[in-house]
Amino acid sequence: MIFFSAEAQLLKDKSQFTRQDTLRGSITPEREWWDLTYYHLDIEVSPDEKFISGKNTIHYKVLKSKQVMQIDLQDPMQMLKVTQNGQNLDIVHDGNAHFISLNKPQNIGDYNSIVVHYKGYPREAKRAPWDGGFSWKKDNNGKHFIATSCQGLGASVWWPNKDHMYDEADSMLISVTNPKGLMNVSNGRLRKLEDLGAKVKSHWFVSNPINNYGVNVNIGDYVNFSEEYNGEKGKLDMDYWVLSYNLEKAKKHFKDAPKMMKAFEHWFGPYPFYEDSFKLVEVPYLGMEHQSSVTYGNKYKKGYLGSDLSSTGWGLKFDFIIIHEAGHEWFANNITNKDAADMWIHEGFTAYSENLFLDYYYGKKASADYVIGTRDNINNRKPIIGPYGVNKEGSGDMYYKGANMLHTLRQLVKDDELWREILRGLNSDFYHQTVTTKQIEDYFSKKTKKDLTAFFNQYLRDIRIPKFEYKISDDVLSFRYVNIVDGFDMPIEVEIDGKTKWIFPNSEWKSIPYQGKTFEVDRDYYVYAKQVN
Ligand SMILES: [Zn+2]
């Protein structure tokens, strides 16, 4: 997802949660007993009617012997019938959750499947991708230009599935029928294109685990160009699907894509989906991290629609959407949060990746300028981590406060090779997994050999930014932290007469001898520094 102003966050803000939120956001007993293995989503999209219909075949492995299964599909979409081995099954509808009674015994270890038939006029996106659904737009030639986006809202807004982040299909086939003259581009690789007379049917196969919100349909008057990228894991197909009249523009502008791949493979390790290729797909909204089909709508401009989120100028060195959304291939698609409350794992690391891209091409100072510049986007009104179990993400600070927290942590590690090893290690040790914040915290503590409990509590679970207070008097420097959680004692670097020195503040005043003329706190640490005498 893309950073948006506090306004959008507040629109979505709520403190009261309903039973529907719990059904959607928790691992209910009707979800927990089965492990999702495979989806075959097979739909027809009718652009003139803004209507879709079809079915999803859901394959699963039985973990516990139970008979009732929860499948999600949001109003106004209609679940028409569900079958297993050709037999119709009973369904109890409870809002957007549908409880299906299976007839045959579900034996532990068995691999079974159900077929869910559905249809409807899916919710239209109001402000994609933040307030998503189907975008039914037209291109400059008046041709249909259609795309889905559903992060947060959930994929069940347009197709029936197990709509919780913790469990991913191990692979997936997406089959889409649409009018001839238009092409559908979904995730993974195009396996087959069928000519059905007035219609065409495309079959896209994803051979890796995929999160629900990453699944997408994009239909338009597309043309395609591609290149082969020599990456860490060998040859990677990079494919670009753009509107026919944007081809020449895209060929020039998308040079940022291989540049991105080079920088991110350096920092994070091999692109996590070589088998499925990498794609950029033009869409009628700003963009989204759809796995192996990253969607693009930044109007072929540098920065974020031509502007720089850091206000330093560095943000205009790259196309924000290409860099940010592709960064999510590592953090969001490879390493995925189990609960939406931990969405900073997607956005904090990916916002941070923007400055690592700059670091790779323009050096450390440029990257520090950028990430420090983005501090102006931080509100500190709500914690980064949201409430668990109700499908609710934390505050928008997960982006740039998250990025500045990681930038601060890099200073504490003070060893860029180790830092890079940790970032790459996360991507190999949690390869294709869903994780919790705790797992990420523990990983950093282990790899840095530091107890980072208070550090993460401060930045992820509290809204206060540590205030570093200091006094200089009579050859003595005194300092302490205020506005901190219990146990927060982050070492910090200061410059005395241009020379860097580590000091070790905590909540109590400490003093050290001081003969300096100039004193400065290293700006790389996200703290407020204040002289108090
Ligand atoms: Zn994002």
Side-chain angles (χ1 to χ4, degrees):
M1 184 78 88
I2 312 148
F3 175 75
F4 197 56
S5 66
E7 175 205 357
Q9 288 295 323
L10 290 174
L11 281 175
K12 292 200 296 181
D13 205 8
K14 67 178 187 178
S15 47
Q16 299 291 311
F17 294 101
T18 63
R19 179 182 145 73
Q20 281 294 314
D21 293 323
T22 301
L23 287 176
R24 172 79 166 77
S26 65
I27 303 169
T28 62
E30 293 78 16
R31 280 174 171 155
E32 189 234 353
W33 67 269
W34 54 285
D35 176 33
L36 177 59
T37 57
Y38 179 75
Y39 288 131
H40 178 197
L41 179 64
D42 184 354
I43 62 169
E44 176 164 354
V45 177
S46 310
D48 290 332
E49 294 77 31
K50 299 185 176 179
F51 181 78
I52 65 172
S53 63
K55 59 183 197 274
N56 187 21
T57 306
I58 302 172
H59 292 248
Y60 61 95
K61 184 183 176 186
V62 178
L63 303 176
K64 282 183 189 173
S65 206
K66 276 212 173 182
Q67 297 286 124
V68 180
M69 180 182 254
Q70 177 182 343
I71 297 296
D72 307 279
L73 182 66
Q74 298 177 29
D75 194 56
M77 300 307 292
Q78 279 177 277
M79 194 177 282
L80 300 172
K81 64 171 181 175
V82 182
T83 62
Q84 185 158 57
N85 303 333
Q87 280 193 325
N88 261 322
L89 303 174
D90 286 339
I91 313 169
V92 174
H93 305 280
D94 185 347
N96 296 330
H98 308 269
F99 295 94
I100 295 149
S101 293
L102 303 166
N103 293 337
K104 76 168 185 179
Q106 304 290 308
N107 301 314
I108 294 170
D110 278 0
Y111 287 86
N112 294 330
S113 65
I114 58 167
V115 186
V116 183
H117 298 259
Y118 78 111
K119 69 170 186 183
Y121 298 91
R123 174 196 159 107
E124 221 167 304
K126 295 194 188 96
R127 199 180 205 178
W130 301 283
D131 199 348
F134 259 77
S135 298
W136 305 98
K137 304 285 183 187
K138 296 273 174 72
D139 71 10
N140 292 347
N141 296 329
K143 293 186 177 174
H144 286 292
F145 189 22
I146 300 160
T148 59
S149 58
C150 56
Q151 190 180 16
L153 184 61
S156 55
V157 73
W158 65 278
W159 58 286
N161 59 77
K162 185 184 207 177
D163 208 356
H164 192 288
M165 299 296 292
Y166 88 101
D167 197 6
E168 296 187 348
D170 305 319
S171 59
M172 180 166 183
L173 179 62
I174 304 157
S175 303
V176 177
T177 304
N178 56 260
K180 195 176 262 178
L182 299 169
M183 176 68 190
N184 169 60
V185 184
S186 289
N187 315 73
R189 288 183 188 270
L190 182 62
R191 190 180 253 186
K192 197 164 64 169
L193 193 57
E194 284 182 86
D195 189 333
L196 305 177
K199 296 170 187 169
V200 284
K201 186 169 189 177
S202 56
H203 301 269
W204 292 85
F205 184 69
V206 183
S207 66
N208 284 303
I210 181 165
N211 56 43
N212 287 347
Y213 81 83
V215 175
N216 71 156
V217 161
N218 306 290
I219 299 171
D221 172 27
Y222 285 123
V223 291
N224 168 241
F225 64 101
S226 58
E227 62 184 302
E228 209 171 55
Y229 177 82
N230 282 311
E232 287 195 10
K233 255 175 86 172
K235 301 253 185 246
L236 171 64
D237 294 317
M238 295 182 74
D239 290 324
Y240 309 103
W241 294 84
V242 297
L243 292 177
S244 56
Y245 52 81
N246 284 332
L247 180 62
E248 291 313 313
K249 225 192 289 183
K251 278 183 174 172
K252 275 196 209 117
H253 192 79
F254 284 0
K255 298 244 186 298
D256 268 3
K259 271 183 85 177
M260 168 283 295
M261 197 55 77
K262 192 156 186 230
F264 287 168
E265 285 208 325
H266 170 81
W267 283 109
F268 302 144
Y271 170 70
F273 309 104
Y274 268 69
E275 306 75 12
D276 292 326
S277 80
F278 173 85
K279 300 197 295 294
L280 278 179
V281 185
E282 185 170 0
V283 288
Y285 62 89
L286 192 50
M288 188 68 199
E289 66 252 31
H290 297 120
Q291 183 175 312
S292 71
S293 56
V294 169
T295 47
Y296 178 84
N298 201 31
K299 305 196 185 306
Y300 302 96
K301 289 181 177 168
K302 292 289 183 183
Y304 181 115
L305 286 172
S307 73
D308 174 8
L309 288 179
S310 76
S311 311
T312 61
W314 290 112
L316 297 175
K317 294 287 185 192
F318 55 91
D319 182 307
F320 180 89
I321 292 299
I322 296 177
I323 303 311
H324 180 94
E325 301 309 328
H328 277 306
E329 294 281 27
W330 286 264
F331 294 97
N333 297 338
N334 186 35
I335 306 175
T336 306
N337 59 228
K338 262 193 207 311
D339 190 297
D342 289 334
M343 197 172 137
W344 77 276
I345 298 168
H346 299 190
E347 300 302 348
F349 282 95
T350 302
Y352 179 66
S353 78
E354 295 157 23
N355 88 83
L356 290 181
F357 175 85
L358 285 168
D359 189 305
Y360 189 81
Y361 290 104
Y362 301 96
K364 261 180 117 159
K365 184 175 177 300
S367 78
D369 284 351
Y370 179 86
V371 69
I372 292 166
T374 61
R375 284 178 191 167
D376 285 347
N377 300 313
I378 302 171
N379 286 308
N380 287 316
R381 281 201 291 258
K382 280 193 333 177
I384 284 180
I385 294 181
Y388 288 93
V390 286
N391 187 44
K392 182 78 183 90
E393 75 279 10
S395 84
D397 285 347
M398 71 176 94
Y399 288 79
Y400 292 107
K401 188 175 174 182
N404 273 283
M405 176 186 80
L406 292 169
H407 183 68
T408 301
L409 190 50
R410 180 183 182 181
Q411 316 309 315
L412 292 173
V413 170
K414 217 64 202 165
D415 176 344
D416 284 350
E417 265 322 292
L418 174 61
W419 183 242
R420 188 162 80 98
E421 248 172 60
I422 295 172
L423 295 173
R424 292 175 65 100
L426 281 167
N427 277 285
S428 57
D429 290 348
F430 297 120
Y431 186 69
H432 291 176
Q433 288 177 34
T434 62
V435 301
T436 62
T437 292
K438 177 83 168 64
Q439 285 173 282
I440 301 295
E441 285 182 79
D442 290 351
Y443 192 86
F444 274 103
S445 287
K446 195 174 122 208
K447 296 291 176 180
T448 61
K449 301 192 174 72
K450 297 177 198 297
D451 181 356
L452 296 168
T453 311
F455 175 85
F456 284 117
N457 282 342
Q458 181 76 45
Y459 288 104
L460 295 176
R461 300 183 176 90
D462 200 286
I463 60 169
R464 296 169 300 169
I465 296 310
K467 195 164 158 197
F468 173 80
E469 293 186 335
Y470 64 97
K471 299 180 203 173
I472 298 170
S473 57
D474 304 330
D475 300 339
V476 170
L477 170 71
S478 309
F479 51 82
R480 69 168 182 180
Y481 281 130
V482 294
N483 286 341
I484 52 172
V485 300
D486 278 353
F488 184 86
D489 59 355
M490 178 177 77
I492 193 167
E493 286 166 284
V494 295
E495 277 200 0
I496 300 170
D497 295 339
K499 263 187 78 182
T500 303
K501 180 180 170 62
W502 283 98
I503 57 172
F504 300 88
N506 58 26
S507 62
E508 306 290 329
W509 282 107
K510 283 187 183 179
S511 296
I512 56 169
Y514 178 83
Q515 256 97 35
K517 288 194 178 62
T518 65
F519 179 84
E520 228 176 301
V521 177
D522 187 336
R523 65 178 187 142
D524 290 314
Y525 293 78
Y526 185 38
V527 300
Y528 296 137
K530 192 168 195 288
Q531 188 166 4
V532 292
N533 59 333

